Amino acid sequence: MSLDRRRFLAAGAGAASALTAGCTGRLTRCLPFADSGMPHDAAIAVTSVGSVPYGAPLLDAADLPDRERDLLRTAIDDGVVRACMRDETDRTGAFSAFADRVDQETYLAAGPDRYALWVRITDQVFAATGDSPAGDASPCC
């Protein structure tokens, strides 16, 4: 290896470490090559529908615990609600509990309104009667 190449490589390593100086673990949360590559986020998207197919599972929001209802209220108001599943909070617990209640054909009833659902945690889709949310915003960054 020539001296010029060695200096170039050393300068590159120095620049890379200078760029990351003072960074916390948050940097590695946002860089897929610095982690396992497995997504760590979750999303619930809802789409208003006029009717639900006959015989499709219908989950009534009124029957859910408050923390799951809060997630769904946000999803209904904003179209999607997201969470970083690396953080162990009541919110991530609510995502997991809600995902356990649904299957691929589940719809949601909230009062007189009906919604198609799309529920994903990491790389597993739990409900897919609705469309996936637009964009790929990650709450883990």
Side-chain angles (χ1 to χ4, degrees):
M1 178 177 341
S2 73
L3 186 55
D4 290 332
R5 185 172 177 199
R6 192 172 295 168
R7 242 186 273 156
F8 175 75
L9 292 173
S17 63
L19 289 172
T20 59
C23 290
T24 64
R26 190 169 175 86
L27 176 66
T28 59
R29 292 168 72 173
C30 299
L31 300 174
F33 59 83
D35 201 352
S36 68
M38 172 72 76
H40 297 284
D41 63 317
I44 298 172
V46 297
T47 307
S48 182
V49 294
S51 63
V52 174
Y54 179 77
L58 185 63
L59 184 62
D60 193 340
D63 296 336
L64 299 173
D66 289 342
R67 61 189 188 143
E68 292 174 48
R69 251 194 329 263
D70 290 343
L71 284 178
L72 293 171
R73 176 55 44 207
T74 301
I76 290 168
D77 292 344
D78 299 342
V80 64
V81 61
R82 300 175 191 269
C84 182
M85 296 305 284
R86 286 186 181 155
D87 306 326
E88 292 186 28
T89 65
D90 285 344
R91 188 174 193 172
T92 58
F95 264 91
S96 294
F98 184 71
D100 288 342
R101 294 180 192 283
V102 299
D103 65 26
Q104 290 291 316
E105 284 91 38
T106 302
Y107 286 81
L108 176 70
D113 301 318
R114 301 295 181 258
Y115 299 93
L117 289 170
W118 188 85
V119 180
R120 180 189 51 79
I121 296 179
T122 64
D123 64 340
Q124 184 175 358
V125 175
F126 291 84
T129 54
D131 296 328
S132 63
D136 59 355
S138 174
C140 295
C141 289

